[in-house]
Amino acid sequence: MKRNDLYQASNSLRANGSSRWRDTGYNVFSRSFRQEDDDDDEKALKWAAIERLPTFARLKKALLTTSPGETSEVDVPKLGHEERKKLMDRLIKHTEKDNESFLLKIRQRVDRVGIEIPKLEVRYEHLKVEAEAYIGSRALPSFFNFFINKLESILHCLHLLSSRKKQLSILRDVSGTIRPCRMTLLLGPPSSGKTTLLLALAGKLNRDLKFSGRVTYHGHEMKDFVPQRIAAYICQNDLHLPEWTVRETIAFSARCQGVGPSYEMLAELARREKAANIKPDPDIDAFMKAASIGDQETSVLTDYIIKILGLENCADTLVGNEMIRGISGGQRKRVTTGEMLAGPAKLLLMDEISTGLDSSTTYQIVKSLRQKVHILNGTAFISLLQPAPETFELFDDIVLLSDGQIVYQGPRENVLEFFESMGFKCPARKGVADFLQEVTSRKDQRQYWNQTDKAYSFVTVEEFAVAFQSFHVGKRLQDDLATPFDKNRSDPTLLTTKNYGVNKMELLKACFSKELSLMKRNSFIYIFKLIQLVVMAVIGSTVFLRTEMHKKTPTDGIVQMGAVFFSVFMFMFSGLSELAMTGLRLPVFFKQRDNLFYPAWVYALPTWILNIPVSFIEVALWVVVTYYAMGLDPDIFRFLKQFLLLVLTNQMSSALFRLVAALGREMTVTNTLSSFCLLVLFANCGYVLSQDEVRKWWIWAYWISPMMYSQNAIVINEFLGESWNHVLPFTTEKLGVLVLKSRGFFSEAYWYWIGVGALVGFILVLNFLNTLALTYLNPLDEIQRVKSEDQNNEDDDRNGVDAQLQHKGSNTDLLRTEADPDKIQYREKGMILPFLQHCITFEKILYAVDMPQEMKAQGVTEDRLVLLRGITGAFRPGVLTALMGVSGSGKTTLMDVLAGRKTGGYIEGSIKISGFPKKQETFARISGYCEQTDIHSPHLTVYESLLYSAWLRLYPEVNSETRKMFVKEVMELVELTPLRQALVGLPCVSGLSLEQQEANYCG
């Protein structure tokens, strides 16, 4: 009998979404399961006291062993970090050994009272996903293509021109079932459609894609519920806030996603146990209560996920990114997985979760997921590229996808039987996963042909798919899909219709807490801005020094007007810092928004509100330094009125540039938009051009410019003061009024309050528009696939292989002859770049960094964190050396140190190249370092990227044609020829897949 069959409960989950649960077979209260120790009277009395409490209060109380032999009653929502850590250590000492027994204890507790954990089955039928794209060079972003494509789209909308785009089939009529309590593995080569299938099941397909078919959860259409709350999609890209620690990242995810129906189920569980006089295990009871109480900044569920993912040693380390030192790439991948595991989702859709992980860590993670799926009735659909054999054996079902078609779907035990029926056999020492991904490839299929009595001919993916329909596993799958799902078996509480896991107020508290912590982590930026303002205030005060600022003539007024304009000018530029801070966080926001962590207004409101105190501090420093030093009107009320006006100007500027960042969504676009906005605002503020000088056809821009209202209000506040109240000879108007009229400003006092009101209105409108932009706009996507002008989807693979086969017979290499170093000769043995052989030796390499503040807060007393401890070794020429180690062991750190990429920290030891001390300037010219992070220019094609690298790195004597030949050689070696015209793309948007980017980088 299979493992998951041992955990079937005899009763169903509660009906109609209420707290009433139904029983089905026997009376679960007919006998007592209570196991008490007669000697432990004190413990029994404490538990009895908890049982006498009302249900709501009882769920917040638990018994915990605080010290050896002592048990005390604790308030579950107030468990501290140390208490949670001790609890998890008692429950799971060793993840490999204890996690299964821990989950079994939870399942046994639920089964004892006849509660059934709900299951989720997912079906997809006749899924077709197509995309439209221009072919060849028309797909590349250029000025010509941009305007031509826009013109064509307009004419197409008017039905005057047919579309020139070609159809690209990503998924081709795929059908199948993801069964509950089973681990399903999704296999397939890059660009086979794995990510698209997972996105389709999660309900997250791009709207630009043409989608047809049907996806049901427990027989219900996706429009009947909120799929993002039921399915947790874990993407390939690791998008996190680099300023947060691992614990904070996972805890915030758990806080936003909530606990789902866990609290109601626990309440029913406690009621039945009390009626049956059952005393649960105290530690299990404390864990389940702590994990079922939402609205906690850090819950015990966070500690559990950190433990099973092996992140305990870096739990309080910053996640980091390319610019901020943080955890390793493998650890960051585990954080991506843990972020979604922290929610109550029943369906796990995981896309390439093993990228950057060692095989041992991948095995442990998949094993933990298997235990959770089998014991707690979960559903998992996991995509892996090259799983190790032991990891492959953990899965129950296999889905093999190739060229957008399902080649096989069914039990893992029958997959080799199917391919043997087609004439292909997996060798004895060959990994089954590797065999499955190679057997459909034209270049690798022949080696597995087993029918020696028949001549081999290539079996296409279409032929495999058709043959699977007549295979007994395929027939059974068709019968299952033909049988309608019985909706009466569906638990009404499983498919929720609520958009968010917790109420809006709790989400707002969580986002306020997040924004406040980010402000603390980025305190350097705010301190730098304050120092910058003080320095500029001192400079401005010396330029417009009081002793030089006379108030006798209109010319003096014009100079003073420049002083107040300088203040407005500074606070308009002060908001530019919001561009970078908002733009860098947008990818993380889009991910969390699409996963329904929170609505956009919950994200935008704390950013606005918490920026107000910062504005008060910045303006206070500016006004205190400049107001009296510049000789402005000494009236204290006018001092306060200018203070208020500059605060509103600062807030308006910050809101404006947050809106620009939300609209642009990419740094190049936002920088261009911000520059344009500043030019328009300065040109129409009334100081550069007076109102009388603005053309009539452009006057509308003057009236909608927020800077105009700010400038009018600040000059009115100054020039209607007492120091400008005297009348010049031969005039009838006061000096201040004359100055205002000479520059076309308003002279009525009430225009100050109009300016204040207008700025308040602009602040509200700009923040509202920012919220709308965050709500409805999506990340800027690039072209994902490009079709060559003379190739179709089927030809790409075949032509790439044919080119490679032809290349083996006609390949040429370049070597420099000893007689003439400038002369290039060709050989017929393969591509060999000219280089000298070198060996690299390193001795007692030690690398350390300053101890992170987060670790010091946990009680660590050392000043430095040592990452490499006296490493000694050598790399010899002609010997291929593998650097191996678990994730986070220091592999990347060692390579960074050897390559000279570490610009911070403390490095000790010696590095020698062929016996000579390493000199970084020359070493960089003879070495090539392929980093773990794939950093490319996103708007270049694969061919252009490699050609640019060839121009930079090859010898200057190599001519242009030879460079191009080298690039073609490299593209064929790393199988990038079909992607020659494809854009590389950004990591956070669609472009090349991660595997293709890695191949491009290595090339």
Side-chain angles (χ1 to χ4, degrees), residues 658-723:
R658 281 196 297 268
L659 173 61
V660 170
L663 292 174
R665 291 161 287 167
E666 201 270 327
M667 291 308 298
T668 303
V669 179
T670 56
N671 288 333
T672 304
L673 286 177
S674 62
S675 301
F676 175 76
C677 289
L678 283 175
L679 287 174
V680 172
L681 292 178
F682 284 132
N684 294 278
C685 69
Y687 180 79
V688 178
L689 290 175
S690 66
Q691 180 183 357
D692 301 332
E693 295 172 334
V694 179
R695 299 292 184 180
K696 293 183 179 180
W697 54 270
W698 188 248
I699 195 66
W700 60 271
Y702 175 84
W703 289 105
I704 67 171
S705 171
M707 196 172 175
M708 181 274 288
Y709 294 95
S710 177
Q711 182 66 22
N712 267 285
I714 198 169
V715 296
I716 287 173
N717 181 62
E718 170 61 23
F719 291 103
L720 295 185
E722 289 297 326
S723 57

Side-chain angles (χ1 to χ4, degrees), residues 364-375:
Q364 294 300 334
I365 293 175
V366 175
K367 183 180 179 181
S368 299
L369 293 174
R370 172 187 170 91
Q371 293 165 352
K372 180 179 179 180
V373 167
H374 283 182
I375 298 175

Side-chain angles (χ1 to χ4, degrees), residues 781-827:
D781 288 348
E782 299 293 343
I783 299 171
Q784 186 171 4
R785 298 179 65 183
V786 175
K787 222 179 178 183
S788 299
E789 296 181 2
D790 56 349
Q791 292 177 334
N792 55 29
N793 288 337
E794 291 77 16
D795 292 337
D796 283 341
D797 186 23
R798 179 165 57 254
N799 291 347
V801 176
D802 293 342
Q804 189 173 11
L805 293 175
Q806 295 172 6
H807 173 70
K808 290 181 179 179
S810 61
N811 200 11
T812 57
D813 295 310
L814 303 178
L815 290 175
R816 298 175 184 275
T817 61
E818 295 181 0
D820 188 358
D822 296 331
K823 184 178 180 180
I824 305 295
Q825 73 173 19
Y826 295 87
R827 292 200 333 186

